[in-house]
Amino acid sequence: MSVHNPFQPLSGPTDRNDGNRQVPASARGDAEILDAYSEAVIHVVETVSPTVISLSGAAGGPAAGSGSGVIISRDGLAITNSHVVGGRHKMLAETDDGDRIDATVVGDDPATDIAVLRLSARDLPSAEFGESAAARVGQLVIAMGSPLGLHSSVSTGVVSALGRTLRGNDGRLIENIIQHTAPINPGNSGGPLVDSRGRVLGVNTAIIALAQGLGFAVSSNTAKWVAAEILEHGRVRRRQLGVVAAVERLPRAMVREFDLLSDQAVRVVEVSPGGVAQKSGIRSNDLIVAINDRLITSVDDVHRLLASAPAHTALTVTLIRGHSKHDVEIAWLP
């Protein structure tokens, strides 16, 4: 009578003899997956590495930290982080081949931590932007740059979250940040985060000290928009209400009286003379509770709605003034 071995699969692929060693079918499958993963990473590295640059202060210029960047056009345009530029107008770029090229800062946007450079060279290899809005949690990503001055370093991970926010150097929130697990360190800032096809999904911008597997990148869609604004207008155009404002907690009686959805609003502390708010009739001590029927509970909410609304379209600001609620239409100047 035969006895069933509980440790032997009841069904499945047949194991294969590899010389004098038997290789389980499951191990062969794992090896094939690892080979495919390695091939994908190698292909990306070989394709994108020539477009990645190491950045430092230009000779004779002010001392500052170093970082990374990525070339986005064959005529020498590159992007990096605003905090890598650090207010400088000239930088020195070093390519994967060790060539040193002077770089001029075309534009700098601290609000998104993105800056655009122009290298004094032509016919350069360039990277292709991907569509960050199509990124998915769990997909393979590869971080490239010069962490701690170690040129052409590569690390891999996955997208771990989408739609994060980080606060920029000017106090505004940077929207649509990509969180990922590819290890990055000081010096990776400004370098590309690319997908398995070698397309730039983001620009690495920050890590959390003492944390592991928490890297953040400004999305490629944000970087493309900033670069286009800088190249066309010399700066990023943003609509401004022209007010100084602060968050205020409202009395419960006021929340009930006006049927508000939150007990927080934004109080107008000061109205800039000649600004859009003044011309639209907004006054000091007005309480802004909504814009285009979207709830406003913080100054960040105001910035977010001003940035996301289509250009040259009117906005309706709902505010409380004294004992009444008003709707004020903001007509934007060209």
Side-chain angles (χ1 to χ4, degrees):
M1 184 175 84
S2 64
V3 178
H4 169 62
N5 179 357
F7 297 104
Q8 182 174 338
L10 295 176
S11 62
T14 305
D15 292 350
R16 182 188 68 192
N17 286 322
D18 185 5
N20 296 323
R21 182 169 59 91
Q22 192 174 47
V23 181
S26 59
R28 296 201 309 275
D30 290 344
E32 290 170 358
I33 292 172
L34 287 173
D35 284 345
Y37 174 86
S38 297
E39 287 297 328
V41 174
I42 291 169
H43 173 72
V44 168
V45 171
E46 291 177 346
T47 302
V48 181
S49 281
T51 73
V52 180
I53 52 177
S54 176
L55 293 167
S56 58
S66 60
S68 304
V70 58
I71 302 169
I72 59 171
S73 72
R74 294 186 61 81
D75 61 353
L77 285 175
I79 55 173
T80 185
N81 285 149
S82 173
H83 75 262
V84 171
V85 169
R88 293 172 288 189
H89 300 291
K90 299 285 185 181
M91 300 195 75
L92 186 64
E94 185 173 344
T95 68
D96 187 46
D97 292 331
D99 295 330
R100 297 193 169 205
I101 306 172
D102 290 330
T104 302
V105 179
V106 178
D108 182 10
D109 187 49
T112 55
D113 201 22
I114 293 293
V116 178
L117 309 176
R118 185 176 290 280
L119 278 58
S120 59
R122 297 294 180 269
D123 297 324
L124 296 170
S126 61
E128 175 188 355
F129 276 117
E131 178 62 42
S132 56
R136 300 181 65 185
V137 173
Q139 79 174 80
L140 169 68
V141 286
I142 302 162
M144 305 178 72
S146 301
L148 304 174
L150 301 171
H151 297 311
S152 305
S153 294
V154 176
S155 59
T156 63
V158 297
V159 173
S160 50
L162 296 166
R164 298 292 197 209
T165 57
L166 286 178
R167 199 162 298 280
N169 291 335
D170 69 345
R172 290 175 180 261
L173 286 179
I174 309 174
E175 303 284 345
N176 297 317
I177 292 290
I178 299 172
Q179 180 185 329
H180 63 87
T181 63
I184 56 177
N185 292 281
N188 270 117
S189 291
L193 182 75
V194 300
D195 64 14
S196 58
R197 296 183 180 180
R199 300 170 301 189
V200 177
L201 279 184
V203 179
N204 287 310
T205 187
I207 56 174
I208 295 180
L210 304 180
Q212 294 183 1
L214 287 176
F216 300 92
V218 178
S219 71
S220 62
N221 284 5
T222 297
K224 283 188 289 187
W225 171 68
V226 170
E229 285 283 303
I230 288 174
L231 293 173
E232 186 172 352
H233 305 287
R235 62 183 178 87
V236 176
R237 300 169 300 166
R238 288 186 176 86
R239 291 185 290 189
Q240 306 264 346
L241 277 180
V243 300
V244 176
V247 175
E248 182 167 315
R249 191 168 294 280
L250 306 177
R252 290 184 179 179
M254 181 181 287
V255 173
R256 290 195 297 269
E257 179 182 358
F258 294 105
D259 194 25
L260 302 178
L261 298 177
S262 172
D263 65 352
Q264 285 193 173
V266 171
R267 181 177 291 279
V268 177
V269 177
E270 182 181 335
V271 179
S272 301
V276 173
Q278 185 189 56
K279 293 180 179 180
S280 301
I282 293 177
R283 305 174 189 172
S284 295
N285 292 318
D286 284 347
L287 289 167
I288 299 174
V289 295
I291 296 178
N292 279 8
D293 294 326
R294 298 286 298 275
L295 190 66
I296 297 295
T297 62
S298 68
V299 176
D300 289 331
D301 289 340
V302 176
H303 287 157
R304 184 179 295 113
L305 285 168
L306 291 180
S308 62
H312 307 303
T313 58
L315 295 180
T316 300
V317 177
T318 303
L319 52 86
I320 295 172
R321 180 181 296 159
H323 297 286
S324 60
K325 186 189 278 190
H326 300 268
D327 285 337
V328 174
E329 188 173 272
I330 302 291
W332 299 101
L333 301 175

